[in-house]
Amino acid sequence: MTDEALLARVLVPYKEHCKYLRSAVVTEHDGRVSARCEFEISESCYIDDTGHLNSVEVNICYNQMMYFLVAKTVQDGLGAEFADWTLDDFFKHQLPDILIARFSSSFRRPVDPRAFSGEMEFRSVSRRTRPDGSPFLYADTAFRYWDATSGRCDGEATLAFVNIP
């Protein structure tokens, strides 16, 4: 079941017409944390209707899914990598310190933006040190979106969590 209060708080930075994530369930299996989500884009926030999910919206949906996954991981004490974090830490670092270092997506078949599902998982998260000695978390993630008519988009993203607690 979606933690509605947490979802609402995670989406606070987004303009109302850009809140695409409708529900999300986070699970941990064999040491991997993942989220399964439902999205709805009734109207694009930046372009006339294309009739399909486009790369900009893929990225926005990924951000919302990822932010919720990290927040829920912290809140529920999942994954050792975020064990030292509190929810206050997450919200302090949400916008300025969680960076997408690399992002790629591949469209297999057009996805209906009006109603589609998505999921992402942390493939690995490791603590690293920058040349100046400051620590950061480096995370490899995978994601995918699909709809009821076989639409499909897959992708990968690398995250850097800087200025971490």
Side-chain angles (χ1 to χ4, degrees):
M1 180 183 298
T2 300
D3 182 332
E4 298 290 341
L6 184 62
L7 178 58
R9 190 168 175 204
V10 165
L11 295 179
V12 162
Y14 291 88
K15 297 184 182 319
E16 281 304 314
H17 66 286
C18 295
K19 294 180 180 182
Y20 300 149
L21 180 58
R22 299 294 184 231
S23 66
V25 176
V26 172
T27 58
E28 184 176 28
H29 184 70
D30 292 334
R32 286 194 175 179
V33 181
S34 63
R36 185 169 178 125
C37 305
E38 298 299 324
F39 296 92
E40 177 187 334
I41 303 174
S42 56
E43 181 179 8
S44 177
C45 68
Y46 79 101
I47 195 170
D48 286 340
D49 188 6
T50 61
H52 58 82
L53 186 66
N54 64 56
S55 62
V56 171
E57 292 158 343
V58 163
N59 196 309
I60 293 169
C61 290
Y62 174 84
N63 281 347
Q64 293 177 9
M65 184 165 49
M66 177 268 296
Y67 286 146
F68 185 82
L69 177 58
V70 174
K72 190 69 172 163
T73 298
V74 168
Q75 178 180 276
D76 292 355
L78 307 173
E81 301 81 6
F82 296 100
D84 295 336
W85 285 46
T86 66
L87 270 180
D88 287 340
D89 292 329
F90 168 77
F91 288 110
K92 176 183 173 186
H93 296 282
Q94 179 180 4
L95 294 183
D97 299 323
I98 302 176
L99 312 174
I100 296 177
R102 187 180 58 80
F103 189 87
S104 68
S105 59
S106 299
F107 288 87
R108 308 294 181 199
R109 288 176 296 281
V111 175
D112 180 359
R114 305 286 184 264
F116 64 101
S117 302
E119 63 185 8
M120 75 167 287
E121 73 171 355
F122 284 113
R123 288 186 170 164
S124 67
V125 181
S126 59
R127 191 174 186 91
R128 298 188 179 182
T129 305
R130 295 192 311 205
D132 67 2
S134 59
F136 71 100
L137 293 178
Y138 179 91
D140 280 320
T141 70
F143 66 92
R144 70 184 185 106
Y145 302 111
W146 67 94
D147 64 19
T149 59
S150 300
R152 184 169 169 193
C153 173
D154 304 307
E156 297 179 336
T158 301
L159 305 172
F161 297 78
V162 299
N163 300 318
I164 59 174

